[in-house]
C-alpha cells in the first residue's frame, strides 16, 4: 500500500469499535496523577470523557480496574479485570491492560482496552433462566395432563361425559403451556436486546387506540368499559419499537380489565411533555405507591406517559415491589376464567427499560390501581 | 513532575477530588459485594468485605487531613474553597457507606447459618441495586460536575424509602406467619435499613455537589409521596 493511502495509527485507533485508553503516570502514590492521555471515540462515549488529560479516576473508579491499570503502569505486567457499569442499562466489560514503553519525559504508560461482554453474559444467564423457568412452570400443567391421561385410560375410559369434561380441561392446560412458552420466548428476546436502544418512531396515542380496539370485545364480554382520555395525535411521539409498546399497553390495559369488577370502568390516559417528576406525580391520593423502574436522568428530558387506572381489588403494599418479578402473582386473588402466566408485568418492565423509560404503580386496597408507564418523548 | 510543595492549590484541589472519586469506587464495590454476599450466601466474599473496610477508613482519614491542610495553608476562596469542603464532606459520607456495607456483610455471615428466605433476599437484592445505582449516579455527577444529574438523584430520594416500606411489610408478614423466620428476618430488616441509609448518604452527597457547584443550599420541596404512612422509626441500629 502506498504511504499516503495508509491511515495514521491514531485515526485507526480512534475509529475502533472497542473503547481504548492510554493512561500516563509518574508517581504510584498520586492517584490523581494517573491521567488519560488518549481516549478513542468509543471510550469517550462510554465513559463520558469531555477533555483529554483528565484524571483516570474521574472516568473509571472501580478498584479492581484501577489495580489492573497499576499492574501495567508500575508492575510492567498485563492486567485484567471484570467491570460492570451498573445503572438501568447494566453492561459487562472485560478490561485488559498492557504496559507500554516509557514516554520521553519519563512518564509510565499503559494501554487499556475494554471488551464488551454484555451479550455473552446475557446469553449465558438467559439460557440458564429460560431452562429453569420453563421446566419449573411447565411441570404443573404437565403433571395434570398426565393425570388426566391416566384417568382416561383407567376408570373414565367408558364414561362419555367424564371424557368430554377431561378433554376440555386438558385442552385448557395445553393452551396455558403454549402461552407460557410464548411469553417466556418473548421475555427472553426482549431481555437479550435490552441494552440496544430501539429505532422506530411511533405515536403512543395511535398504539393505544389500536389496543383499545383489540381489547374492546373482551372487555365488553366482562362488562368492563374502556374510557380513553388521550392527547391529540402527533403529540405523544417517541422513539420506540411499535410492537413492543403495543405489548406494554396491551398488558396494562388487559390487567386492568381483568381485575375490574363487572360494570367497572378502566380509564386510559396518554399525556405528553411531562418531566419525570410530573410523570409520576400522585394521581391517587392516599395510595400505596412504588416506582418499579426509573430511568437514568441527565436533566431536561420530557416524557410521554400512559396511565391505566382501574377500580378493582387493588394490591397490598407488600406485593408491590415483586409485581414485575417473573411468575409473581398475588396470592388469593381471583383472576377470572383465564389464569395468567404472571409474566405480563415482567415483559412490560423490560420493554420500558429498553426504551429508557419508567414504570410506577399506585394502589389502594379495595379501591383500585393505577399503572403509569412513561417513555422519553421525541 | 512537580514536587508536592510546588504544587499549585488548583492541583491540590484536583488531586483531592480524584482521591474522593477513588474512595467512591471503593465504597461502590463494597456495597455491590456485600449485597452479593447476602444473596449468594457467599461467606468468603463477606469476610473480604469486612477486611477491606480499613482501606476506606484510611483513605477517608487521609482525604480529611489533606483537605484541612489545604484549607489552612492555602486559604482558598470561592469555588476552590467549596470544592475542598465538598471533598471533605463527601469523603465522610462515603466512609459511612463503607461502614454500613461492612455491617451488612457481617449480618450476611450470620444469615448464611440459617435457612434461606429466597423471596426476601430477592427484595434485598432489588433494593441493593437501587441504592447502588443512586450512589453511582451521584458519583458520576461529582466527577463530571453535572448539576442536573445530582439534582435528579436528590429529587428521587423517596424511591428507596418506598422499597424499604414494602420490604418491611413483607418481612413482617413472613415473621408473623412462621416464627422460625424471626431471627433471620430481623437481620434482613437491619440489612434493608442499612441500605436505606446508604441511599440517604447518596442524597446527602447530591446536596453537597449542589452546594459545591452553585454555592447555594438546595431548596424547594422534594416530591414527597406524602400519603405514605411513615414507618415507625423505632428501629435502632447498633452500628
Ligand atoms: N390492575 C391490577 N389490579 C390488581 N392486581 C393486578 C393488576 N395488575 C396486575 N396485578 C397482579 O399482578 C400479578 C402479575 O401481573 P402480570 O400481568 O405479570 O401477570 P398475570 O396478569 O397474572 O398474567 P399474564 O401473563 O397473563 O398477564 C397478577 O397476577 C395480579 O396478581
Ligand atoms: Mg397480566
Amino acid at each position: 500500500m502506498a504511504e499516503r493511502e495508509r491511515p495514521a495509527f491514531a485515526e485507526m485507533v480512534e475509529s475502533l469499535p472497542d473503547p481504548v485508553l492510554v493512561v500516563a503516570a509518574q508517581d504510584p502514590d498520586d492517584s490523581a496523577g494517573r491521567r488519560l492521555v488518549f481516549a478513542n471515540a468509543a471510550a469517550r462515549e462510554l465513559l463520558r470523557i469531555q477533555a483529554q488529560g483528565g484524571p483516570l479516576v474521574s472516568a473509571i473508579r472501580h478498584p479492581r480496574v484501577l489495580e489492573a491499570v497499576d499492574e501495567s503502569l508500575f508492575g510492567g505486567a498485563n492486567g485484567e479485570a471484570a467491570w460492570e457499569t451498573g445503572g438501568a442499562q447494566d453492561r459487562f466489560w472485560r478490561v485488559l491492560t498492557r504496559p507500554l514503553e516509557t514516554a520521553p519525559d519519563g512518564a509510565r504508560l499503559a494501554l487499556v482496552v475494554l471488551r464488551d461482554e454484555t451479550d455473552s453474559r446475557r446469553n449465558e444467564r438467559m439460557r440458564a433462566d429460560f431452562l429453569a423457568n420453563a421446566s419449573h412452570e411447565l411441570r404443573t400443567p404437565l403433571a395434570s395432563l398426565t393425570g388426566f391421561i391416566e384417568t382416561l385410560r383407567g376408570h373414565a375410559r367408558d364414561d362419555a361425559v367424564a371424557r368430554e369434561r377431561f378433554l376440555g380441561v386438558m385442552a385448557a392446560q395445553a393452551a396455558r403451556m403454549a402461552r407460557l412458552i410464548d411469553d417466556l420466548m418473548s421475555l427472553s428476546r426482549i431481555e437479550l436486546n435490552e441494552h440496544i436502544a430501539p429505532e422506530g418512531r411511533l405515536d403512543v396515542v395511535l398504539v393505544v387506540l389500536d389496543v383499545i380496539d383489540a381489547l374492546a370485545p373482551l372487555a365488553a364480554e366482562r362488562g368492563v368499559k374502556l374510557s380513553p382520555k388521550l392527547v391529540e395525535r402527533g403529540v405523544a411521539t417517541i422513539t420506540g419499537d411499535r410492537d413492543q409498546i403495543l405489548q406494554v399497553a396491551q398488558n396494562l390495559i388487559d390487567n386492568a380489565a381483568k381485575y375490574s369488577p363487572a360494570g367497572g370502568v378502566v380509564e386510559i390516559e396518554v399525556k405528553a411533555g411531562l418531566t419525570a417528576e410530573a410523570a409520576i406525580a400522585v394521581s391517587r391520593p392516599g395510595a400505596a405507591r412504588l416506582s418499579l423502574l426509573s430511568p437514568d436522568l441527565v436533566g431536561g428530558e420530557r416524557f410521554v406517559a400512559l396511565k391505566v387506572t382501574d377500580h378493582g381489588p387493588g394490591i397490598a403494599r407488600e406485593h408491590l415491589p415483586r409485581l414485575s418479578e417473573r411468575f409473581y402473582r398475588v396470592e388469593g386473588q381471583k383472576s377470572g376464567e383465564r389464569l395468567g402466566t404472571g409474566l405480563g408485568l415482567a415483559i412490560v418492565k423490560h420493554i420500558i427499560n429498553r426504551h429508557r423509560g419508567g414504570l410506577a404503580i399506585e394502589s389502594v386496597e379495595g379501591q383500585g390501581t393505577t399503572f403509569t408507564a412513561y417513555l422519553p418523548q421525541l | 513532575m512537580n514536587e508536592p510543595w510546588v504544587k499549585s492549590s488548583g492541583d491540590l484541589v484536583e488531586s483531592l477530588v480524584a482521591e474522593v472519586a477513588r474512595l467512591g469506587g471503593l465504597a461502590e464495590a463494597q456495597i455491590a459485594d456485600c449485597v452479593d454476599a447476602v444473596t449468594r450466601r457467599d461467606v468468603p466474599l463477606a469476610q473480604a468485605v469486612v477486611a477491606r473496610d480499613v482501606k476506606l477508613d484510611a483513605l477517608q482519614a487521609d482525604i480529611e487531613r489533606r483537605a484541612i491542610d489545604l484549607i489552612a495553608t492555602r486559604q482558598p476562596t470561592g469555588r476552590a474553597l467549596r470544592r475542598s469542603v465538598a471533598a471533605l464532606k463527601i469523603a465522610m459520607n462515603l466512609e459511612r457507606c463503607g461502614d454500613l456495607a461492612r455491617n451488612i456483610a457481617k449480618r450476611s455471615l450470620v444469615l448464611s447459618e440459617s435457612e434461606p428466605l429466597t423471596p426476601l433476599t430477592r427484595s434485598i437484592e432489588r433494593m441493593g441495586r437501587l441504592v447502588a445505582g443512586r450512589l453511582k449516579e451521584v458519583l458520576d455527577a461529582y466527577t463530571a460536575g453535572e448539576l442536573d444529574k445530582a439534582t435528579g438523584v436528590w429529587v428521587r430520594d423517596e424511591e428507596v424509602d418506598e422499597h424499604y416500606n414494602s420490604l418491611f411489610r413483607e418481612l413482617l408478614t413472613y415473621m408473623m406467619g412462621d416464627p422460625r423466620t424471626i431471627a433471620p428476618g430481623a437481620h434482613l430488616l437491619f440489612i434493608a435499613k442499612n441500605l436505606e441509609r446508604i441511599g440517604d448518604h447518596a442524597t446527602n452527597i447530591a446536596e453537597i455537589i449542589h452546594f459545591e457547584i452553585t454555592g447555594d443550599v438546595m431548596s424547594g420541596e422534594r416530591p414527597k409521596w406524602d400519603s405514605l404512612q411513615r414507618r415507625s422509626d423505632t428501629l435502632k441500629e447498633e452500628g
Side-chain angles (χ1 to χ4, degrees):
Chain A
M1 211 191 271
E3 188 61 39
R4 65 190 150 74
E5 286 170 14
R6 189 185 300 154
F9 272 123
E11 232 170 275
M12 283 165 38
V13 179
E14 169 70 10
S15 46
L16 277 181
D18 290 335
V20 176
L21 306 163
V22 177
V23 182
Q26 303 265 6
D27 173 8
D29 293 328
D30 177 13
S31 62
R34 290 159 178 73
R35 308 213 150 250
L36 291 169
V37 289
F38 174 80
N40 72 352
R44 293 198 302 275
E45 195 199 323
L46 174 71
L47 304 170
R48 310 195 314 139
I49 299 169
Q50 281 129 10
Q52 231 135 70
L56 168 67
V57 275
S58 62
I60 303 187
R61 55 180 177 265
H62 196 289
R64 279 195 294 272
V65 178
L66 298 181
E67 274 164 29
V69 173
D70 275 6
E71 192 80 12
S72 293
L73 279 175
F74 302 107
N78 296 343
E80 187 176 335
W83 181 51
E84 232 180 293
T85 51
Q89 268 80 34
D90 204 4
R91 303 190 68 161
F92 300 93
W93 298 88
R94 168 113 354 231
V95 181
L96 302 166
T97 66
R98 298 287 179 267
L100 296 175
E101 234 171 86
T102 304
D105 68 348
R108 290 169 174 277
L109 297 175
L111 177 73
V112 181
V113 179
L114 282 84
R115 193 178 288 160
D116 191 347
E117 292 191 339
T118 313
D119 282 346
S120 56
R121 284 286 293 269
R122 270 175 204 246
N123 266 317
E124 207 175 289
R125 206 179 49 203
M126 221 67 58
R127 204 169 318 135
D129 283 0
F130 184 87
L131 277 177
N133 289 335
S135 47
H136 181 256
E137 291 297 313
L138 290 175
R139 197 169 291 147
T140 316
L142 203 55
S144 106
L145 274 185
T146 316
F148 281 119
I149 290 172
E150 247 143 52
T151 320
L152 283 174
R153 278 190 172 147
H155 65 261
R157 151 176 246 139
D158 301 314
D159 182 342
V161 183
R163 197 165 56 218
E164 266 323 294
R165 200 165 61 81
F166 289 168
L167 283 173
V169 181
M170 288 165 74
Q173 290 287 4
R176 177 169 151 70
M177 286 165 74
R179 258 203 324 270
L180 253 170
I181 292 174
D182 282 350
D183 280 0
L184 270 174
M185 298 282 282
S186 164
L187 185 58
S188 286
R189 265 197 306 273
I190 295 160
E191 278 184 291
L192 272 181
N193 289 326
E194 199 163 330
H195 60 296
I196 302 169
E199 279 180 350
R201 227 185 117 105
L202 61 100
D203 181 348
V204 175
V205 165
L206 295 183
V207 171
V208 166
L209 285 172
D210 279 357
V211 172
I212 292 176
D213 282 347
L215 288 178
L218 208 75
E221 217 172 89
R222 294 176 186 143
V224 174
K225 185 170 175 291
L226 303 183
S227 155
K229 192 171 140 201
L230 315 172
V231 290
E232 272 171 43
R233 286 167 199 213
V235 179
T237 42
I238 62 166
T239 303
D241 180 321
R242 190 171 191 285
D243 287 342
Q244 291 193 343
I245 299 301
L246 199 91
Q247 241 176 318
V248 168
Q250 128 98 42
N251 267 298
L252 294 181
I253 298 171
D254 180 54
N255 277 348
K258 188 153 76 177
Y259 297 103
S260 279
V265 179
V266 171
E267 285 128 40
I268 303 158
E269 213 179 332
V270 173
K271 293 182 179 177
L274 305 173
T275 61
E277 284 162 58
I280 58 167
V282 178
S283 49
R284 267 182 181 276
R289 41 187 309 168
L290 187 78
S291 152
L292 291 173
L293 173 70
S294 42
D296 291 343
L297 297 176
V298 222
E301 297 94 336
R302 285 287 176 277
F303 290 91
V304 169
L306 165 63
K307 276 185 190 290
V308 180
T309 299
D310 66 54
H311 303 278
I315 306 166
R317 177 191 301 283
E318 60 264 33
H319 296 299
L320 298 185
R322 302 191 52 196
L323 281 185
S324 58
E325 228 168 70
R326 327 167 150 211
F327 305 116
Y328 188 75
R329 317 202 17 262
V330 177
E331 240 171 88
Q333 211 178 42
K334 62 172 183 31
S335 59
E337 66 299 339
R338 176 179 169 244
L339 189 59
T341 60
L343 284 171
L345 288 175
I347 291 175
V348 165
K349 180 176 162 184
H350 286 286
I351 292 178
I352 295 178
N353 191 33
R354 177 175 179 224
H355 286 76
R356 316 292 197 252
L359 178 65
I361 171 169
E362 297 165 80
S363 193
V364 186
E365 267 184 285
Q367 289 181 27
T369 308
T370 300
F371 278 93
T372 304
Y374 53 106
L375 302 152
Q377 188 168 342
L378 254 187
Chain B
M1 258 264 167
N2 296 334
E3 291 303 312
W5 55 84
V6 290
K7 271 196 173 166
S8 71
S9 355
D11 280 352
L12 288 176
V13 175
E14 286 324 300
S15 80
L16 206 54
V17 170
E19 289 293 53
V20 173
R22 194 159 69 87
L23 179 58
L26 284 168
E28 286 177 301
Q30 290 286 80
I31 293 163
D33 285 350
C34 77
V35 173
D36 278 352
V38 175
T39 53
R40 290 199 237 123
R41 303 160 72 79
D42 188 336
V43 172
L45 184 61
Q47 287 163 339
V49 170
V50 174
R52 273 199 303 255
D53 187 50
V54 289
K55 272 203 201 174
L56 282 83
D57 292 348
L59 185 52
Q60 186 263 331
D62 186 50
I63 291 171
E64 185 173 324
R65 190 183 48 72
R66 284 166 62 171
I68 290 173
D69 211 44
L70 170 67
I71 295 167
T73 59
R74 305 292 179 114
Q75 302 186 341
T77 55
R79 178 80 193 265
L81 174 61
R82 291 202 303 274
R83 223 160 145 68
S84 314
V85 173
L88 178 79
K89 289 169 85 176
I90 292 174
M92 286 163 66
N93 277 280
L94 290 171
E95 188 268 330
R96 286 295 300 145
C97 289
D99 288 346
L100 293 162
R102 182 197 54 202
N103 197 282
I104 291 172
K106 279 189 180 162
R107 289 187 187 278
S108 84
L109 287 172
V110 185
L111 275 174
S112 65
E113 281 161 14
S114 54
E115 282 297 302
L117 297 174
T118 311
L120 289 170
T121 33
R122 228 176 294 147
S123 301
I124 292 278
E125 188 179 7
R126 202 172 4 244
M127 196 171 159
R129 255 175 217 287
L130 179 70
V131 166
R134 286 176 61 80
L135 191 62
K136 172 193 148 50
E137 277 199 54
V138 87
L139 288 170
D140 283 351
Y142 179 62
T143 55
E146 285 176 13
L147 186 60
D148 281 348
K149 213 174 160 83
T151 316
V153 172
W154 185 74
V155 156
R156 282 179 294 141
D157 168 57
E158 300 271 301
E159 228 167 272
V160 180
D161 288 8
E162 297 147 26
H163 274 260
Y164 179 80
N165 284 326
S166 299
L167 208 140
F168 184 78
R169 295 260 192 132
E170 202 182 352
L171 269 163
L172 233 48
T173 318
Y174 248 82
M175 294 176 4
M176 287 187 313
D178 181 356
R180 281 169 308 173
T181 62
I182 289 178
H187 282 294
L188 284 173
L189 202 53
F190 281 121
I191 289 174
K193 184 76 194 163
N194 283 344
L195 287 174
E196 193 211 17
R197 285 169 57 190
I198 293 174
D200 289 343
H201 285 292
T203 310
N204 290 348
I205 295 174
E207 284 172 9
I208 298 168
I209 296 170
H210 186 275
F211 165 76
E212 183 210 297
I213 297 178
T214 65
D216 295 329
V217 175
M218 267 188 167
S219 57
E221 270 296 292
R222 265 177 260 174
K224 287 270 183 251
W225 291 16
D226 49 12
S227 48
L228 276 182
Q229 191 197 327
R230 302 297 300 183
R231 62 183 177 280
S232 55
D233 259 317
T234 48
L235 278 175
K236 284 268 152 47
E237 172 67 66
E238 70 273 24

